[in-house]
């Protein structure tokens, strides 16, 4: 591994970290930088903007204009830094003791920097199969960018054979992960004076019963775990992250919202939960609420339903990464990625990238330079395989 390539990667990562691409803000400045970078190498580039035009996916291709090839995929957004105790400016990268610190160095701008740095060499090769780059928006808040991108690839009839998603795995090959389904359930009751609770519909109390039912489902899912499941924990999980509502302790709460998530291992898990909730809401909660207030309502909003990455017997992406890394085994993880979306679109997908998930989302986030070196070696070998 040349020192020049490592220094170039660090230089690019420094620039990427300096773009404060927190999910609630625009990522356009960073996307424009990457689009210009790849465009100057001769890549065919297109941007796909979101509805308000403040964010965009980037898709670029080096090599022949034909089906097949490999997609290198990563997200451009990072999680917020507010309320975290950073010892330095999170958007100014610095190096110390073999580590590069800054928001996104690990999750996952380190991988993006490796992709850009090695793209210089790829542009000089006579590739027989295309090398694609897919850099998305809003992964951290629901994988919205990747969902839009796979639809756009289908519309344009771009058909890669395999996708390598560079989420931080310490360069271990990951062949499966759970899905990530996120919801907000809103309860609309009837406000009234706290001294006469029977004359109102307390949205918080009905939300509490809903949460109790969710927790019961969470326990029942433990018995649905597949024999020999490699996940930790081996069953699908449900977790309530936030509840808010009401106006005061002496006012019957007219509204309440519950933010919750489910991480299914298999499709039957989500089907069981949805059916049980539908029955509980429509046969028990709502009839009771409407007896007092016909306008009472319960509405569940789908924030995002991102499919898991299913372990399959035959995987072109896994075989490719085994060959270019020398690995001879793959694992599964509980955290979600965009890999399942590529798999659902008919593209073989695998996960392998620099850094540890233990550093992601934390203050003083870092990636080890040795991890970047391993990633650069993997990507350089991939280019040779595509010749």
């Amino acid at each position: 591994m040349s020192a020049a390539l490592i220094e170039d990667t660090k230089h690019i990562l420094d620039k990427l970290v300096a773009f404060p691409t927190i999910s609630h803000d625009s990522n356009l400045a960073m996307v424009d930088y990457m689009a210009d970078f790849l465009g100057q190498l001769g890549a065919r580039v297109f941007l796909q903007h979101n509805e308000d035009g403040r964010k965009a996916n980037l898709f670029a291709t080096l090599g022949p204009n034909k089906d097949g090839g490999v997609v290198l995929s990563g997200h451009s957004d990072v999680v917020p830094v507010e309320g975290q105790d950073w010892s330095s400016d999170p958007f100014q990268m610095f190096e110390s003791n073999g580590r590069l610190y800054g928001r996104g160095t690990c999750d996952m701008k380190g991988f993006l920097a490796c992709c850009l740095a090695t793209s210089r060499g790829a542009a000089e090769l006579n590739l027989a199969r295309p090398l694609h780059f897919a850099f998305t928006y809003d992964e951290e808040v629901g994988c919205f960018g990747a969902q839009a991108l796979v639809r756009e690839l289908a519309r344009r009839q771009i058909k890669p054979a395999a996708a390598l998603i560079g989420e931080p795995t310490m360069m271990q090959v990951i062949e499966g992960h759970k899905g990530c389904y996120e919801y907000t359930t809103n309860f609309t009751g009837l406000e009234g004076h706290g001294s006469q609770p029977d004359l109102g519909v307390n949205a918080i109390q009905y939300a509490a019963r809903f949460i109790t039912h969710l927790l019961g489902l969470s326990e029942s899912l433990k018995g649905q775990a597949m024999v020999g499941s490699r996940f930790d924990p081996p069953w699908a999980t449900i977790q309530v992250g936030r509840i808010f509502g009401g106006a005061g302790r002496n006012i019957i709460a007219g509204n309440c919202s519950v933010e919750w998530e489910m991480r299914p291992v298999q499709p039957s898990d989500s089907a069981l939960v949805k059916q049980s909730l539908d029955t509980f809401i429509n046969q028990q909660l709502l009839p009771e609420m409407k007896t007092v207030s016909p306008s009472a309502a319960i509405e569940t909003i789908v924030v995002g339903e991102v499919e898991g990455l299913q372990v399959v017997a035959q995987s072109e992406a896994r075989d490719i990464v085994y060959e270019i890394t020398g690995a001879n085994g793959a694992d599964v993880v509980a955290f979600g990625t965009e890999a399942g979306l590529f798999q659902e679109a008919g593209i073989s997908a695998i996960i392998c990238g620099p850094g540890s998930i233990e550093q992601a989302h934390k203050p003083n986030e870092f990636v080890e330079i040795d991890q970047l070196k391993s990633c650069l070696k993997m990507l350089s070998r991939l280019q040779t395989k595509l010749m």
Side-chain angles (χ1 to χ4, degrees), residues 150-383:
V150 294
R151 291 194 296 267
E152 181 65 10
L153 294 182
R155 189 187 73 81
R156 292 176 179 248
Q157 297 187 332
I158 299 174
K159 301 175 182 179
L164 168 56
I165 293 81
E167 288 278 4
T169 67
M170 291 296 287
M171 296 302 297
Q172 301 301 303
V173 183
I174 302 300
E175 62 178 344
H177 64 69
K178 296 180 181 180
C180 185
Y181 291 14
E182 298 179 319
Y183 306 96
T184 299
T185 300
N186 297 315
F187 296 78
T188 302
L190 178 65
E191 287 190 341
H193 197 281
S195 64
Q196 296 180 302
D198 291 345
L199 299 183
V201 177
N202 193 311
I204 290 178
Q205 291 180 194
Y206 281 96
R209 290 172 60 183
F210 174 82
I211 292 173
T212 299
H213 191 78
L214 277 179
L215 296 178
L217 286 170
S218 180
E219 285 299 311
S220 68
L221 285 170
K222 293 180 180 180
Q224 303 295 320
M226 296 184 297
V227 176
S229 173
R230 296 156 62 195
F231 289 104
D232 182 18
W235 50 77
T237 59
I238 296 175
Q239 192 265 147
V240 178
R242 189 173 182 227
I243 179 171
F244 54 97
R249 64 173 57 88
N250 60 351
I251 302 172
I252 299 170
N255 58 78
C256 186
S257 294
V258 178
E259 296 180 356
W260 59 284
E261 67 161 26
M262 168 174 51
R263 296 185 182 252
V265 174
Q266 52 196 336
S268 59
D269 296 329
S270 57
L272 181 151
V273 171
K274 290 179 178 181
Q275 180 59 52
S276 180
L277 288 176
D278 182 72
T279 300
F280 182 61
I281 289 171
N282 290 296
Q283 294 186 13
Q284 294 189 47
L285 297 186
L286 268 178
E288 292 180 24
M289 296 169 73
K290 288 183 177 291
T291 297
V292 179
S293 174
S295 62
I298 301 174
E299 178 188 18
T300 294
I301 298 171
V302 178
V303 177
E305 292 184 335
V306 180
E307 298 300 328
L309 178 63
Q310 300 298 315
V311 177
V312 294
Q314 301 295 324
S315 170
E316 182 174 356
R318 183 180 59 212
D319 291 344
I320 290 172
V321 175
Y322 278 179
E323 182 178 343
I324 61 178
T325 63
N328 57 9
D331 206 346
V332 299
V333 292
F335 64 83
T337 77
E338 297 170 333
L341 295 168
F342 286 99
Q343 185 181 65
E344 191 178 24
I347 303 170
S348 178
I350 202 75
I351 308 163
C352 184
S356 169
I357 196 66
E358 295 300 320
Q359 302 305 322
H361 300 188
K362 294 182 179 179
N364 300 319
E365 178 182 349
F366 68 83
V367 65
E368 294 179 350
I369 296 173
D370 282 346
Q371 284 285 298
L372 296 181
K373 291 178 180 178
S374 295
C375 184
L376 291 169
K377 185 180 297 184
M378 174 182 72
L379 297 180
S380 296
R381 289 175 175 172
L382 173 63
Q383 295 171 11

